[in-house]
Amino acid sequence: NRVFKVTIAADVPAGTYDCRLVGRFGVSNPRLFQVTNGLQDIEEKEPNNEAVQAQAVTINSAINGMSDQNGEDWFRFEAKRGQRVIVECHAMRLDSTLDGTLTLTNKAGKPLASNSDYFGADPFLDFVAPEEGEFFVRLNDLTFNGGAPYRLVISDRPHVENVFPRAITAGQSATLTVLGRNLGSGAKPSAARIVESPLDEIALPVSAPSD
């Protein structure tokens, strides 16, 4: 294993990028590397294999961890009543073999939400806190393979689900309809839903560059 330090300029847009190594024998295959803004990066800390060992994190955090063979990873966070929180696992989308399963419970252990496949094999939870208090997230690999990396995001920031239209003409102006969650004070409830989860909707005027 090799450890290297990456410095990312402040103006780099959030997204997923190819990362390669260049050495005396040439250029390596690409691996995916994710850049985010406004999230606190946290390393997973063991032991966190049971609810009583759940690692305390804050909303708007990204936890970088590894799955446990025959085990689970537990995290806990505080939320306010009515606060809409997104819990999202990035694994398959970052070249990981993890086939994640997420479960959300309250402090008493009552299951509130669960998911295993939303973005391909990556799970996703859309959760509105029914009361103020502490909530617990459990993450495990579907087949309990160990050593698979993941990036778990817990956030109440804007989350875009889709945009219509999906294409506009270069050099022209258009108004996009953005669908998502926590889109801010300018958004309104949308008629579109995903399963039972309502979405926000906001109109966004854009001008496409001619080049």
Side-chain angles (χ1 to χ4, degrees):
N1 292 336
R2 296 291 186 268
V3 177
F4 57 94
K5 184 176 181 180
V6 177
T7 302
I8 302 171
D11 60 350
V12 173
T16 304
Y17 297 85
D18 283 347
C19 180
R20 299 174 184 264
L21 293 179
V22 179
R24 60 181 297 188
F25 298 111
V27 181
S28 73
N29 293 332
R31 297 306 300 265
L32 294 179
F33 184 84
Q34 187 180 71
V35 176
T36 55
N37 292 319
L39 297 176
Q40 179 184 4
D41 270 274
I42 297 174
E43 294 297 322
E44 178 209 1
K45 294 181 180 179
E46 295 283 358
N48 63 344
N49 302 324
E50 303 176 32
V52 294
Q53 300 173 320
Q55 180 179 347
V57 298
T58 58
I59 292 176
N60 296 323
S61 294
I63 303 110
N64 300 292
M66 289 279 188
S67 63
D68 296 333
Q69 189 170 18
N70 298 322
E72 303 165 334
D73 291 336
W74 284 81
F75 306 93
R76 56 187 171 91
F77 63 91
E78 296 278 348
K80 298 178 181 178
R81 178 182 175 87
Q83 188 173 12
R84 191 170 190 176
V85 181
I86 303 304
V87 183
E88 182 175 9
C89 179
H90 295 261
M92 182 198 74
R93 290 169 289 173
L94 295 176
D95 287 337
S96 173
T97 59
L98 179 81
D99 188 354
T101 296
L102 282 173
T103 303
L104 180 77
T105 70
N106 63 12
K107 194 172 183 178
K110 178 183 177 181
L112 300 176
S114 64
N115 185 256
S116 57
D117 297 295
Y118 193 91
F119 297 103
D122 287 348
F124 175 89
L125 296 178
D126 177 7
F127 159 70
V128 178
E131 60 189 3
E132 183 171 351
E134 198 169 44
F135 298 90
F136 289 71
V137 175
R138 182 185 73 204
L139 173 64
N140 65 272
D141 183 83
L142 184 65
T143 57
F144 289 94
N145 282 325
Y150 62 83
R151 184 169 170 84
L152 183 67
V153 175
I154 302 175
S155 170
D156 67 353
R157 301 176 65 223
H159 182 277
V160 174
E161 180 71 30
N162 219 323
V163 177
F164 297 97
R166 301 302 298 271
I168 61 176
T169 303
Q172 296 186 10
S173 297
T175 298
L176 303 181
T177 299
V178 180
L179 300 174
R181 306 162 180 88
N182 294 327
L183 296 185
S185 58
K188 63 180 182 180
S190 173
R193 302 174 69 90
I194 296 182
V195 191
E196 296 300 321
S197 299
L199 295 176
D200 296 336
E201 178 180 313
I202 192 169
L204 181 66
V206 297
S207 296
S210 58
D211 57 355

